[in-house]
Amino acid sequence: MSYTDPTSTGVRPVLHLDGISRVHGQGAAEVHALRQIDLRVNPGEFVAVMGPSGSGKSTLLTLAGGLDTPTSGQVLVEGVALGGLSRKRLAEVRRRSVGYVFQDYNLIPALTAAENISLPRELDGLSARAARREALAALEELGIPELADRFPDDMSGGQQQRVAIARALIGDRRLVLADEPTGALDSTTGEAVLAVLRARCDAGAAAMMVTHEARHAAWADRVVFLRDGRMVDESISQDAGSLLVSAATNAKRQGEE
């Protein structure tokens, strides 16, 4: 595991959140979900996002993946500003460049595991046979090849989660966004999934993961802490114990301000 300060290199970040804010509602009902977030994630980096409930973690991921639009600022994926794209072009960028692991899996009930995973590749013009080969390889990587022809309703929550992760990893996607990807998994399986995400980053992809677990964040190169929609701290990941201390210290400090 290595870390390079993203501001100290000439490498173009895979993900650049440039002063993004997100406001919901108006007037007395106005809620600032995110406030002026500046964040770059370079090729090969694994960034964990932590913070209390309501701090803006999931909103950060939805904006990074082009699933929502910031009120101000801009999101760039591999140098492409998502805000300036047509709906068709935005869908293409999301499909080809971004793998998203949702908390609720978002699998299509009428499709098998292999069909769910291969669908984005087929939409990009890959033949059904070639897309299925890639899907089977992704299932093998996650240790669940036996689920290939099973439908979501015939899987446990943990199995659906791993299928969703396989779908996010298929193809040459350079950015993987994961919202509590180990939430439905036992500790052993969760560690195996994190090892797969870590390996993808070591191979040159970039990943950003929301997590409440310090031991999971310890797989990352950097940990970003959010509170009340603001980025309040950023630490180089070392080990789970130090992350717990850092998170607790940070929360106490912010609460006293």
Side-chain angles (χ1 to χ4, degrees):
M1 187 184 301
S2 61
Y3 170 74
T4 302
D5 182 350
T7 64
S8 67
T9 72
V11 176
R12 184 178 69 184
V14 176
L15 173 66
H16 182 190
L17 305 179
D18 184 12
I20 64 169
S21 295
R22 184 66 172 98
V23 180
H24 298 288
Q26 296 180 343
E30 188 173 277
V31 176
H32 290 262
L34 289 175
R35 302 170 184 261
Q36 290 293 311
I37 301 293
D38 287 295
L39 179 64
R40 293 171 174 84
V41 185
N42 274 354
E45 280 194 300
F46 189 176
V47 174
V49 181
M50 301 185 74
S53 297
S55 60
K57 303 185 299 299
S58 292
T59 299
L60 188 71
L61 279 195
T62 59
L63 293 176
L67 299 173
D68 192 12
T69 304
T71 305
S72 61
Q74 63 177 344
V75 177
L76 298 97
V77 175
E78 296 193 277
V80 176
L82 302 187
L85 302 180
S86 67
R87 294 181 65 178
K88 180 180 179 180
R89 176 64 180 137
L90 177 60
E92 289 176 354
V93 170
R94 288 204 311 254
R95 196 168 61 241
R96 295 174 180 174
S97 299
V98 183
Y100 204 115
V101 182
F102 298 89
Q103 276 190 332
D104 56 359
Y105 322 136
N106 277 18
L107 299 177
I108 300 173
L111 300 181
T112 65
E115 289 167 345
N116 266 283
I117 295 166
S118 62
L119 181 60
R121 300 292 285 148
E122 291 186 56
L123 291 174
D124 280 335
L126 200 65
S127 71
R129 180 175 296 181
R132 181 175 172 84
R133 281 199 301 269
E134 289 191 6
L136 294 179
L139 287 166
E140 184 72 38
E141 187 177 13
L142 270 295
I144 48 172
E146 72 280 1
L147 298 182
D149 297 314
R150 197 177 297 180
F151 291 94
D153 286 347
D154 298 323
M155 303 177 203
S156 68
Q159 289 171 331
Q160 290 185 55
Q161 182 69 303
R162 281 183 283 175
V163 171
I165 293 167
R167 181 182 56 190
L169 297 178
I170 194 172
D172 298 322
R173 290 165 172 169
R174 297 269 289 156
L175 176 63
V176 178
L177 303 172
D179 196 353
E180 296 282 0
T182 59
L185 306 177
D186 60 65
S187 58
T188 300
T189 305
E191 292 293 308
V193 164
L194 290 168
V196 170
L197 292 176
R198 177 72 260 172
R200 282 301 176 99
C201 291
D202 291 342
M208 187 162 68
M209 171 184 71
V210 164
T211 182
H212 286 96
E213 297 279 350
R215 61 190 176 91
H216 295 160
W219 284 87
D221 299 302
R222 282 188 288 152
V223 184
V224 170
F225 295 95
L226 298 183
R227 186 177 182 87
D228 297 329
R230 300 184 186 276
M231 200 165 82
V232 296
D233 197 10
E234 186 176 7
S235 305
I236 298 175
S237 177
Q238 295 175 5
D239 56 62
S242 65
L243 283 170
L244 282 169
V245 172
S246 178
T249 301
N250 179 72
K252 181 179 179 181
R253 183 176 69 246
Q254 293 298 317
E256 292 173 348
E257 290 179 355

